[in-house]
Each structure stands twice: as structure tokens, then as C-alpha cells.
Amino acid sequence: MHQMTLAEIARGLADKKFSSEELTKVLLARITQLDPQLNSFISLTEELALEQAKAADARRANGESGALLGAPIAHKDLFCTQGIRTSCGSKMLDNFKAPYDATVVAKLAAAGAVTLGKTNMDEFAMGSANESSWYGAVKNPWNLEHVPGGSSGGSAAAVAARLLPAATATDTGGSIRQPAAFTNLTGLKPTYGRVSRWGMIAYASSLDQGGPLARTAEDCAILLQGMAGFDQNDSTSIDEPVPDYSASLNTSLQGLRIGVPKEYFSAGLDPRIAELIQNSIKELQKLGAVIKEVSLPNMQHAIPAYYVIAPAEASSNLSRFDGVRFGHRCENPENLIDLYKRSRGEGFGPEVQRRIMVGAYALSAGYYDAYYLKAQKIRRLVKNDFMAAFNEVDIILGPTTPNPAWKLGAKNSDPVAAYLEDVYTITANLAGLPGLSMPAGFVDGLPVGVQLLAPYFQEGRLLNVAHQYQLNTDWHTRTPTGF
Ligand code: GLN
């Protein structure tokens, strides 16, 4: 039962092969049995799940239908869930029970999805390995000595290990696509503004975007359908109609123009990944796509620009965690300054503290123009590169990551080494574009992802290309041994 995709679950529930309650019990038992190896959950919500499953079964018995009605999912632990701990992977919020549901959580609950729990993540979504969580590192089900990617590593490891079919995640610089690549999943970062950020604890507000992590493009379409849409509570949410993502999955790829940026195949890319990317290109050519070389000349500046802008926004967003308004409060403060210093010093881990310091520095008088303003200018150049490329091609294809999942601890002493691994993903966040990662093969038994990028609001196109690819390949069906 745990092998089913969301689409298969929807069919099974509609045909009354099993109930949502039965499925929920099977998956909860599986999580209890197997998650100790992975650490992919911070909180399990068994009671809520069984309640929601029974309610979904009752709605189906009353004639209601819907792809998410009775479908078990989990939320990355930065989506606020009413009355349930929302920790953001931090000691700072270890005892925080949100007073309301995030829009994404409320929308999915209304569609009948069943919440099994809250998944582990890098602290405040800062990281690429899920090692900065206060609740401990998450392990990659493909090899328990390797990282699952981050910051949505808990959602990715849980879905990859078949503990549940799909989960929500967020992507500020790659945190949906990179863990998808590292665990053999399909993950989609939507256009900035497509999915409401209301109730999503902010890391870098101009880059953060929620999206689905699942095994197939078909399932990502189902989950995105439930997440996307205008929300007047989020001032950057965009009031555009949401297309039917499942309806366009079967569009032919005949004549599709795929751009491959020449900058992608530089020295930093593992040659074995380069070969798998070439194979995926050949596969898409067989389906009728036409390949064209394009150029993204400012790509080399994207990492430095991102690692100024994201910490700058984080330093501002995280100022609210001061032990007074929000967050952990130290014992017996001597005065207000002592309260701030110790509450923040105890509540935040080292990576979060590092980024707050970098961000505050970049925003300070005298450095603002040299760092923050400069980074914003680079951001515009990165966007312009994409706009020029999309005049010539329909989508852009390349690797999701330069290397497969590294060993736990391998990059802990060198944060910059980890930052450099974001080279292929962060440009889409800087430009606000949608991006998808899908399974493309294996290197040393570890999964490799191919990334597709599209113009604004073309999520349907990305899902369509990925679905057609998945109809003709079987990488995405491979299951990690032991799960
Ligand atoms: N690895 C990137 C960072 O640490 C991206 C994280 C994310 O997308 N949340 O900032």
C-alpha cells in the first residue's frame, strides 16, 4: 500500500479499494517503524491524521470526490499549523504552537488532505544538507551515510523512503529541487507569487516559495493544484487564474525548444552527472524536442549575490525572535540587553547566527551600497539573461546539482563549499522563475536530478515535460533498498 503514488491513491479511494483511514494507519505504522533510521519527522500528528482521514472517508461516502480527498501528506515544519508545534527546525521555536494555519495548510486541509506530521528541515531553511536542524540531521534513504539535501531534507527523505506519497516543501535557493535530486524525487518550485507565503515562516521573503515534493510529475501536479492560488493575506501573491495542471500533462513535446546553457557544463560539474544530463536530452529529443545552446553570462555572479541578499533579508526577518515577541527566552535575564543576547545566542544555531551577522553587515550604513545594492543589480542581470534566453527557447535544461549527495559531515567545516553546490538552483529564485527537478539516473548508487526551468507561470509546461519524460523512463520508479 505504501508504494502507491498520489494518483494511484486517488483512484483506489474512488474505487473503494481501501479507505483513507486504512491507508493512514498503514503509513503511520510505517513511519513509527522506519523513521528512526532517517529522522525525517519532527512531529507526528496521529490524532489529527485519523480525524482528517475519517472526515475524508465520510465526504467520499457523501459523493464528494477530488484527487486530494483522503490523501496522506506531511508539511515541512515551517508551515504554521494551528495548535501544533511549528519549529522551523530551531530550538528558538521548539515550544511554538502556531495560533493559525498557513494558507497552504488550510487549502490542502479543505481539499481533504490528511496531515501525518511535520517534517525535519535545516534551521530556518538555511542549508543544503539538513544538518543544521536542532532536531538532528536527516539521513538519505539511498545511503544512510549521506545527506538527503536541504533545507527540505525531511520531506524528501520521507517521500523517497515511501513513508508517504508526497509532502510540502519550500525553496529559497534550491530547497525543493536539490533534495529532490539527492533522493530521486520530482520537486517543483513555482513562480514567485504562485503559492501563498502567508503562515510560512520567512527566511528570505523575496526568494521563498512553497511547492510540492513527490515521486512523479503527475503527483506534483495534484499537490500544486491544492497549494496554488491568490491569497489576499500575502501581498506578493499574484492574482492569476490557476490552470488545471493535470490536464496539460499529456501535451506532445513535438517541436518543444529546449535551451541548454553553455555555462552549465563547466569544470565544477561531475562528468558522470554531465553524461546523465546528455542522456536525458537524447530522451527528450526522441519525444520531439529540439535542442539549442543558450547562454546565461551572469550565472557566475549568482552565488555571491544570493549569499548577500538572502542573509540580508534573513537578518531582518529573524529580528522578531528576541525572546519577547517570539521565540525562546533565556533564564533569569539581568536586563533587556542580556535578555536579547542570551535568548538569541541560545535559540539560534551557528549557521543561522552566521547568516544574521553577514546580513546585518551587508545592510549596515557604509556597506549597503557596496554589497546589498550591488547584489540587487546582479539579480536584475540574472533575470535579464533568462528573459533573453526565453526569447529563443521554451524551457531551459541542465543539472540540478554539480555533485551527488555528499557524506554526512563532509562540508560542515566549510560553509562556502556547501554554498557553491547551489550554483544551478539559486538563479531561478533570484529571477522568480519556476523550476523542477526530476530523476535522471544514478552515480555510485546515489540519485541524480535534471533541472527544467520555464518562463513565469509555466509550471504546467514543466510538469508536462517531466511527465512525458517519466512515461518513457523508469528512474523515478526506483526504490531505495530497505524501504
Ligand atoms: N542552500 C540554500 C541556502 O542555504 C537554499 C536554502 C533554501 O532554499 N531554503 O540558503
Side-chain angles (χ1 to χ4, degrees):
M1 228 175 181
H2 61 266
Q3 292 288 0
M4 286 186 295
T5 62
L6 277 183
E8 288 162 352
I9 289 169
R11 281 195 289 274
L13 288 170
D15 295 346
K16 301 199 169 41
K17 294 227 168 81
F18 49 85
S19 68
S20 173
E21 190 184 348
E22 280 169 324
L23 175 63
T24 299
K25 283 184 177 159
V26 168
L27 295 180
L28 285 172
R30 199 172 151 77
I31 294 169
T32 312
Q33 186 204 342
L34 294 172
D35 197 48
Q37 292 177 60
L38 300 170
N39 196 27
S40 65
F41 278 86
I42 290 176
S43 305
L44 269 188
T45 52
E46 286 123 318
E47 251 176 67
L48 171 71
L50 290 170
E51 210 175 280
Q52 287 178 324
K54 283 182 199 158
D57 287 335
R59 281 169 66 179
R60 277 203 189 264
N62 278 334
E64 262 189 74
S65 59
L68 287 165
L69 187 53
I73 58 159
H75 293 295
K76 182 174 182 177
D77 206 18
L78 55 55
F79 287 99
C80 284
T81 40
Q82 189 172 13
I84 296 164
R85 172 168 59 181
T86 300
S87 74
C88 224
S90 183
K91 178 181 179 187
M92 188 53 102
L93 289 175
D94 181 49
N95 65 0
F96 175 60
K97 286 191 176 154
Y100 64 96
D101 278 336
T103 299
V104 161
V105 172
K107 277 172 86 86
L108 290 171
V114 172
T115 304
L116 301 184
K118 306 289 297 286
T119 54
N120 204 344
M121 54 180 285
D122 275 306
E123 185 176 7
F124 283 96
M126 297 174 188
S128 313
N130 216 124
E131 293 181 288
S132 75
S133 169
W134 190 62
Y135 301 89
V138 178
K139 317 278 164 50
N140 189 326
W142 288 93
N143 183 332
L144 297 173
E145 286 176 10
H146 288 248
V147 303
S151 62
S152 314
S155 290
V159 176
R162 275 62 176 162
L163 304 185
L164 76 176
T168 60
T170 62
D171 191 312
T172 303
S175 285
I176 293 177
R177 292 161 286 157
Q178 185 253 22
F182 280 10
T183 59
N184 207 41
L185 297 181
T186 308
L188 173 71
K189 177 202 105 64
T191 305
Y192 183 76
R194 177 75 294 185
V195 169
S196 168
R197 290 183 299 109
W198 198 70
M200 223 174 86
I201 295 175
Y203 160 17
S205 311
S206 77
L207 303 158
D208 297 342
Q209 186 60 202
L213 259 175
R215 298 211 294 273
T216 64
E218 190 182 22
D219 280 8
C220 283
I222 292 172
L223 193 53
L224 180 63
Q225 202 75 46
M227 298 173 78
F230 175 62
D231 178 8
Q232 57 183 14
N233 286 334
D234 171 0
S235 60
T236 58
S237 159
I238 293 177
D239 196 358
E240 282 273 326
V242 181
D244 182 342
Y245 295 118
S246 299
S248 55
L249 290 174
N250 285 316
T251 307
S252 155
L253 302 191
Q254 202 59 49
L256 177 81
R257 297 168 307 165
I258 298 182
V260 180
K262 58 173 187 234
E263 292 82 2
Y264 277 7
F265 294 88
S266 66
L269 177 64
D270 183 325
R272 298 166 302 173
I273 294 189
E275 196 185 321
L276 291 173
I277 301 305
Q278 294 301 345
N279 293 346
S280 69
I281 290 174
K282 282 183 210 136
E283 201 60 52
L284 290 165
Q285 277 176 313
K286 277 194 236 158
L287 300 176
V290 193
I291 306 299
K292 201 171 172 207
E293 187 181 271
V294 292
S295 176
L296 300 172
N298 291 290
M299 182 179 145
Q300 53 173 320
H301 307 304
I303 289 182
Y306 172 90
Y307 279 98
V308 168
I309 293 169
E313 294 187 21
S315 74
S316 166
N317 276 325
L318 271 55
S319 65
R320 64 174 66 106
F321 303 105
D322 58 6
V324 179
R325 290 172 297 167
F326 287 98
H328 165 82
R329 178 181 294 196
C330 68
E331 297 282 341
N332 306 320
E334 279 168 25
N335 53 43
L336 190 61
I337 295 299
D338 184 47
L339 168 80
Y340 287 154
K341 274 192 180 165
R342 282 203 287 125
S343 298
R344 286 168 70 79
E346 292 166 12
F348 290 134
E351 183 62 24
V352 174
Q353 292 190 20
R354 179 180 298 122
R355 297 207 190 184
I356 290 174
M357 284 193 282
V358 168
Y361 181 84
L363 289 178
S364 57
Y367 295 111
Y368 181 94
D369 287 6
Y371 294 107
Y372 183 72
L373 210 60
K374 194 84 176 172
Q376 291 289 26
K377 288 179 180 170
I378 292 171
R379 184 173 189 173
R380 172 53 64 109
L381 294 176
V382 167
K383 178 188 164 175
N384 290 350
D385 284 354
F386 278 117
M387 295 304 100
F390 284 130
N391 277 333
E392 295 173 49
V393 295
D394 302 309
I395 64 165
I396 288 174
L397 179 149
T400 308
T401 62
N403 295 295
W406 54 89
K407 275 201 156 160
L408 284 153
K411 293 188 195 287
N412 280 356
S413 56
D414 184 1
V416 174
Y419 301 168
L420 292 172
E421 297 290 317
D422 295 338
V423 61
Y424 296 114
T425 49
I426 56 177
T427 50
N429 302 78
L430 289 173
L433 292 166
L436 175 148
S437 179
M438 61 180 184
F442 291 82
V443 162
D444 291 339
L446 291 163
V448 167
V450 55
Q451 177 177 244
L452 309 172
L453 302 173
Y456 299 112
F457 298 107
Q458 301 271 322
E459 287 79 9
R461 188 53 136 168
L462 294 176
L463 292 163
N464 162 226
V465 177
H467 181 64
Q468 292 305 308
Y469 177 81
Q470 291 178 343
L471 287 176
N472 291 280
T473 54
D474 67 356
W475 301 118
H476 62 288
T477 65
R478 310 280 172 99
T479 310
T481 317
F483 296 95

Short mmCIF file of all heavy atoms in Angstrom, two decimals, residues 428-471:
data_model
loop_
_atom_site.label_atom_id
_atom_site.label_comp_id
_atom_site.label_asym_id
_atom_site.label_seq_id
_atom_site.Cartn_x
_atom_site.Cartn_y
_atom_site.Cartn_z
N ALA A 428 17.11 30.64 -10.41
CA ALA A 428 15.65 30.68 -10.59
C ALA A 428 14.99 31.48 -9.47
O ALA A 428 14.01 32.19 -9.70
CB ALA A 428 15.09 29.26 -10.62
N ASN A 429 15.53 31.39 -8.24
CA ASN A 429 14.97 32.17 -7.14
C ASN A 429 15.26 33.65 -7.32
O ASN A 429 14.39 34.49 -7.09
CB ASN A 429 15.53 31.69 -5.79
CG ASN A 429 15.27 30.22 -5.56
OD1 ASN A 429 15.96 29.38 -6.11
ND2 ASN A 429 14.25 29.90 -4.77
N LEU A 430 16.48 33.96 -7.75
CA LEU A 430 16.82 35.38 -7.96
C LEU A 430 15.90 35.98 -9.01
O LEU A 430 15.47 37.12 -8.89
CB LEU A 430 18.29 35.52 -8.38
CG LEU A 430 19.33 35.23 -7.30
CD1 LEU A 430 20.74 35.24 -7.89
CD2 LEU A 430 19.25 36.25 -6.15
N ALA A 431 15.55 35.20 -10.04
CA ALA A 431 14.70 35.72 -11.11
C ALA A 431 13.22 35.49 -10.84
O ALA A 431 12.37 36.03 -11.55
CB ALA A 431 15.09 35.05 -12.44
N GLY A 432 12.88 34.68 -9.84
CA GLY A 432 11.47 34.40 -9.54
C GLY A 432 10.82 33.37 -10.45
O GLY A 432 9.60 33.22 -10.48
N LEU A 433 11.65 32.64 -11.20
CA LEU A 433 11.13 31.70 -12.21
C LEU A 433 10.77 30.34 -11.62
O LEU A 433 11.33 29.93 -10.61
CB LEU A 433 12.19 31.48 -13.29
CG LEU A 433 12.51 32.67 -14.18
CD1 LEU A 433 13.79 32.41 -14.94
CD2 LEU A 433 11.34 32.94 -15.13
N PRO A 434 9.86 29.61 -12.28
CA PRO A 434 9.57 28.24 -11.82
C PRO A 434 10.65 27.26 -12.27
O PRO A 434 11.22 27.41 -13.35
CB PRO A 434 8.23 27.92 -12.51
CG PRO A 434 8.23 28.74 -13.76
CD PRO A 434 9.03 29.99 -13.44
N GLY A 435 10.91 26.25 -11.42
CA GLY A 435 11.91 25.24 -11.75
C GLY A 435 11.51 23.89 -11.20
O GLY A 435 10.84 23.81 -10.17
N LEU A 436 11.93 22.84 -11.90
CA LEU A 436 11.55 21.48 -11.49
C LEU A 436 12.79 20.60 -11.55
O LEU A 436 13.62 20.75 -12.45
CB LEU A 436 10.47 20.97 -12.43
CG LEU A 436 9.97 19.52 -12.30
CD1 LEU A 436 8.48 19.45 -12.69
CD2 LEU A 436 10.76 18.56 -13.19
N SER A 437 12.92 19.69 -10.59
CA SER A 437 13.97 18.67 -10.69
C SER A 437 13.32 17.31 -10.78
O SER A 437 12.33 17.04 -10.09
CB SER A 437 14.89 18.73 -9.47
OG SER A 437 15.89 17.72 -9.58
N MET A 438 13.85 16.46 -11.66
CA MET A 438 13.30 15.10 -11.79
C MET A 438 14.45 14.09 -11.90
O MET A 438 15.56 14.43 -12.30
CB MET A 438 12.39 15.01 -13.01
CG MET A 438 13.08 15.32 -14.32
SD MET A 438 11.92 15.22 -15.69
CE MET A 438 13.04 15.51 -17.07
N PRO A 439 14.17 12.83 -11.54
CA PRO A 439 15.22 11.82 -11.53
C PRO A 439 15.79 11.55 -12.93
O PRO A 439 15.04 11.44 -13.90
CB PRO A 439 14.50 10.57 -11.00
CG PRO A 439 13.35 11.10 -10.20
CD PRO A 439 12.91 12.33 -10.95
N ALA A 440 17.13 11.44 -13.01
CA ALA A 440 17.77 11.25 -14.31
C ALA A 440 18.81 10.14 -14.30
O ALA A 440 19.54 9.98 -15.27
CB ALA A 440 18.41 12.56 -14.75
N GLY A 441 18.91 9.39 -13.20
CA GLY A 441 19.89 8.31 -13.16
C GLY A 441 20.64 8.29 -11.84
O GLY A 441 20.27 8.99 -10.89
N PHE A 442 21.71 7.47 -11.80
CA PHE A 442 22.44 7.27 -10.54
C PHE A 442 23.94 7.34 -10.77
O PHE A 442 24.43 6.94 -11.82
CB PHE A 442 22.08 5.90 -9.94
CG PHE A 442 20.65 5.83 -9.45
CD1 PHE A 442 19.60 5.59 -10.34
CD2 PHE A 442 20.36 6.05 -8.11
CE1 PHE A 442 18.28 5.56 -9.89
CE2 PHE A 442 19.06 6.01 -7.66
CZ PHE A 442 18.02 5.76 -8.55
N VAL A 443 24.64 7.82 -9.74
CA VAL A 443 26.10 7.83 -9.72
C VAL A 443 26.51 7.20 -8.40
O VAL A 443 26.11 7.69 -7.33
CB VAL A 443 26.63 9.27 -9.83
CG1 VAL A 443 28.07 9.35 -9.39
CG2 VAL A 443 26.47 9.82 -11.24
N ASP A 444 27.27 6.12 -8.45
CA ASP A 444 27.67 5.41 -7.22
C ASP A 444 26.46 5.06 -6.34
O ASP A 444 26.52 5.18 -5.11
CB ASP A 444 28.63 6.26 -6.37
CG ASP A 444 29.99 6.41 -7.03
OD1 ASP A 444 30.32 5.57 -7.88
OD2 ASP A 444 30.70 7.38 -6.69
N GLY A 445 25.35 4.69 -6.95
CA GLY A 445 24.16 4.32 -6.18
C GLY A 445 23.39 5.50 -5.62
O GLY A 445 22.40 5.31 -4.91
N LEU A 446 23.84 6.73 -5.93
CA LEU A 446 23.12 7.91 -5.44
C LEU A 446 22.39 8.60 -6.60
O LEU A 446 22.94 8.72 -7.70
CB LEU A 446 24.12 8.89 -4.80
CG LEU A 446 24.73 8.40 -3.49
CD1 LEU A 446 25.98 9.21 -3.15
CD2 LEU A 446 23.71 8.48 -2.36
N PRO A 447 21.16 9.07 -6.33
CA PRO A 447 20.35 9.65 -7.40
C PRO A 447 20.91 10.98 -7.93
O PRO A 447 21.56 11.72 -7.21
CB PRO A 447 19.00 9.91 -6.71
CG PRO A 447 19.02 9.18 -5.43
CD PRO A 447 20.46 9.03 -5.04
N VAL A 448 20.59 11.24 -9.19
CA VAL A 448 20.98 12.48 -9.87
C VAL A 448 19.72 13.11 -10.46
O VAL A 448 18.85 12.41 -10.97
CB VAL A 448 22.00 12.17 -10.99
CG1 VAL A 448 22.18 13.35 -11.93
CG2 VAL A 448 23.34 11.74 -10.40
N GLY A 449 19.64 14.43 -10.39
CA GLY A 449 18.46 15.13 -10.92
C GLY A 449 18.78 15.96 -12.13
O GLY A 449 19.89 16.48 -12.28
N VAL A 450 17.79 16.09 -13.01
CA VAL A 450 17.89 17.03 -14.13
C VAL A 450 16.91 18.16 -13.84
O VAL A 450 15.80 17.92 -13.37
CB VAL A 450 17.64 16.35 -15.50
CG1 VAL A 450 16.31 15.62 -15.55
CG2 VAL A 450 17.68 17.36 -16.64
N GLN A 451 17.36 19.39 -14.05
CA GLN A 451 16.52 20.54 -13.75
C GLN A 451 15.94 21.16 -15.03
O GLN A 451 16.64 21.32 -16.03
CB GLN A 451 17.33 21.61 -13.01
CG GLN A 451 16.51 22.88 -12.73
CD GLN A 451 17.26 23.92 -11.93
OE1 GLN A 451 16.89 24.25 -10.82
NE2 GLN A 451 18.32 24.45 -12.51
N LEU A 452 14.66 21.51 -14.96
CA LEU A 452 13.99 22.23 -16.05
C LEU A 452 13.52 23.57 -15.52
O LEU A 452 12.95 23.64 -14.43
CB LEU A 452 12.76 21.45 -16.54
CG LEU A 452 12.94 19.97 -16.89
CD1 LEU A 452 11.57 19.33 -17.17
CD2 LEU A 452 13.85 19.82 -18.10
N LEU A 453 13.76 24.64 -16.27
CA LEU A 453 13.28 25.97 -15.89
C LEU A 453 12.39 26.51 -17.00
O LEU A 453 12.60 26.21 -18.18
CB LEU A 453 14.47 26.93 -15.70
CG LEU A 453 15.53 26.53 -14.67
CD1 LEU A 453 16.73 27.49 -14.73
CD2 LEU A 453 14.94 26.50 -13.27
N ALA A 454 11.39 27.29 -16.62
CA ALA A 454 10.45 27.81 -17.63
C ALA A 454 10.15 29.27 -17.34
O ALA A 454 10.43 29.78 -16.25
CB ALA A 454 9.16 26.99 -17.60
N PRO A 455 9.54 29.98 -18.31
CA PRO A 455 9.11 31.36 -18.06
C PRO A 455 8.05 31.42 -16.96
O PRO A 455 7.47 30.39 -16.59
CB PRO A 455 8.53 31.80 -19.41
CG PRO A 455 9.10 30.87 -20.42
CD PRO A 455 9.31 29.58 -19.70
N TYR A 456 7.79 32.63 -16.47
CA TYR A 456 6.83 32.83 -15.38
C TYR A 456 5.50 32.13 -15.65
O TYR A 456 4.98 32.18 -16.76
CB TYR A 456 6.59 34.33 -15.16
CG TYR A 456 7.86 35.06 -14.77
CD1 TYR A 456 8.45 35.99 -15.63
CD2 TYR A 456 8.48 34.79 -13.55
CE1 TYR A 456 9.63 36.63 -15.27
CE2 TYR A 456 9.66 35.44 -13.19
CZ TYR A 456 10.23 36.35 -14.06
OH TYR A 456 11.40 36.97 -13.72
N PHE A 457 4.98 31.49 -14.63
CA PHE A 457 3.66 30.84 -14.65
C PHE A 457 3.55 29.66 -15.61
O PHE A 457 2.46 29.23 -15.94
CB PHE A 457 2.53 31.86 -14.91
CG PHE A 457 2.47 32.89 -13.83
CD1 PHE A 457 2.92 34.18 -14.06
CD2 PHE A 457 2.03 32.55 -12.57
CE1 PHE A 457 2.92 35.11 -13.04
CE2 PHE A 457 2.03 33.47 -11.54
CZ PHE A 457 2.47 34.75 -11.78
N GLN A 458 4.69 29.12 -16.04
CA GLN A 458 4.65 27.97 -16.94
C GLN A 458 4.88 26.66 -16.16
O GLN A 458 5.51 25.73 -16.68
CB GLN A 458 5.70 28.12 -18.04
CG GLN A 458 5.53 29.36 -18.88
CD GLN A 458 4.63 29.13 -20.07
OE1 GLN A 458 4.68 28.07 -20.68
NE2 GLN A 458 3.80 30.09 -20.39
N GLU A 459 4.40 26.60 -14.94
CA GLU A 459 4.52 25.36 -14.16
C GLU A 459 3.92 24.18 -14.93
O GLU A 459 4.45 23.06 -14.90
CB GLU A 459 3.77 25.48 -12.83
CG GLU A 459 4.41 26.36 -11.78
CD GLU A 459 4.18 27.85 -12.01
OE1 GLU A 459 3.38 28.21 -12.89
OE2 GLU A 459 4.82 28.66 -11.33
N GLY A 460 2.81 24.44 -15.62
CA GLY A 460 2.14 23.39 -16.38
C GLY A 460 3.05 22.80 -17.44
O GLY A 460 3.06 21.59 -17.68
N ARG A 461 3.86 23.65 -18.06
CA ARG A 461 4.79 23.21 -19.09
C ARG A 461 5.86 22.30 -18.48
O ARG A 461 6.21 21.25 -19.03
CB ARG A 461 5.42 24.46 -19.72
CG ARG A 461 6.24 24.18 -20.92
CD ARG A 461 5.51 23.38 -21.95
NE ARG A 461 5.71 23.88 -23.29
CZ ARG A 461 5.36 23.22 -24.38
NH1 ARG A 461 4.76 22.04 -24.28
NH2 ARG A 461 5.57 23.71 -25.56
N LEU A 462 6.39 22.72 -17.34
CA LEU A 462 7.42 21.92 -16.67
C LEU A 462 6.88 20.54 -16.30
O LEU A 462 7.54 19.52 -16.51
CB LEU A 462 7.91 22.62 -15.39
CG LEU A 462 8.66 23.94 -15.57
CD1 LEU A 462 8.98 24.56 -14.21
CD2 LEU A 462 9.94 23.70 -16.35
N LEU A 463 5.67 20.53 -15.75
CA LEU A 463 5.07 19.25 -15.33
C LEU A 463 4.79 18.38 -16.54
O LEU A 463 4.97 17.16 -16.52
CB LEU A 463 3.79 19.52 -14.54
CG LEU A 463 4.03 20.19 -13.17
CD1 LEU A 463 2.75 20.80 -12.61
CD2 LEU A 463 4.63 19.18 -12.17
N ASN A 464 4.38 19.01 -17.64
CA ASN A 464 4.12 18.30 -18.88
C ASN A 464 5.39 17.62 -19.41
O ASN A 464 5.40 16.42 -19.71
CB ASN A 464 3.56 19.32 -19.90
CG ASN A 464 3.64 18.87 -21.35
OD1 ASN A 464 4.05 19.63 -22.22
ND2 ASN A 464 3.23 17.65 -21.62
N VAL A 465 6.49 18.37 -19.46
CA VAL A 465 7.74 17.81 -19.98
C VAL A 465 8.21 16.67 -19.06
O VAL A 465 8.59 15.58 -19.52
CB VAL A 465 8.83 18.90 -20.10
CG1 VAL A 465 10.15 18.28 -20.57
CG2 VAL A 465 8.39 20.00 -21.05
N ALA A 466 8.14 16.91 -17.75
CA ALA A 466 8.60 15.88 -16.80
C ALA A 466 7.72 14.63 -16.90
O ALA A 466 8.21 13.50 -16.84
CB ALA A 466 8.59 16.44 -15.38
N HIS A 467 6.42 14.83 -17.06
CA HIS A 467 5.52 13.67 -17.15
C HIS A 467 5.82 12.85 -18.41
O HIS A 467 5.90 11.62 -18.36
CB HIS A 467 4.06 14.14 -17.15
CG HIS A 467 3.08 13.02 -17.22
ND1 HIS A 467 2.96 12.07 -16.22
CD2 HIS A 467 2.17 12.67 -18.17
CE1 HIS A 467 2.01 11.20 -16.55
NE2 HIS A 467 1.53 11.53 -17.73
N GLN A 468 6.01 13.52 -19.53
CA GLN A 468 6.32 12.79 -20.77
C GLN A 468 7.64 12.03 -20.63
O GLN A 468 7.76 10.90 -21.08
CB GLN A 468 6.37 13.77 -21.96
CG GLN A 468 5.02 14.37 -22.31
CD GLN A 468 3.96 13.31 -22.59
OE1 GLN A 468 4.17 12.40 -23.39
NE2 GLN A 468 2.83 13.40 -21.91
N TYR A 469 8.60 12.68 -19.99
CA TYR A 469 9.90 12.02 -19.75
C TYR A 469 9.69 10.79 -18.87
O TYR A 469 10.26 9.72 -19.13
CB TYR A 469 10.84 13.03 -19.09
CG TYR A 469 12.19 12.48 -18.70
CD1 TYR A 469 13.21 12.35 -19.65
CD2 TYR A 469 12.46 12.11 -17.39
CE1 TYR A 469 14.45 11.86 -19.29
CE2 TYR A 469 13.71 11.62 -17.02
CZ TYR A 469 14.70 11.48 -17.98
OH TYR A 469 15.93 11.00 -17.63
N GLN A 470 8.86 10.92 -17.85
CA GLN A 470 8.65 9.81 -16.92
C GLN A 470 7.83 8.67 -17.54
O GLN A 470 7.92 7.53 -17.09
CB GLN A 470 8.04 10.34 -15.62
CG GLN A 470 9.07 11.19 -14.87
CD GLN A 470 8.58 11.82 -13.58
OE1 GLN A 470 7.37 11.91 -13.34
NE2 GLN A 470 9.51 12.27 -12.75
N LEU A 471 7.03 8.98 -18.55
CA LEU A 471 6.31 7.91 -19.25
C LEU A 471 7.29 7.05 -20.05
O LEU A 471 6.99 5.90 -20.39
CB LEU A 471 5.26 8.49 -20.21
CG LEU A 471 4.00 9.10 -19.58
CD1 LEU A 471 3.11 9.71 -20.66
CD2 LEU A 471 3.22 8.05 -18.79
#
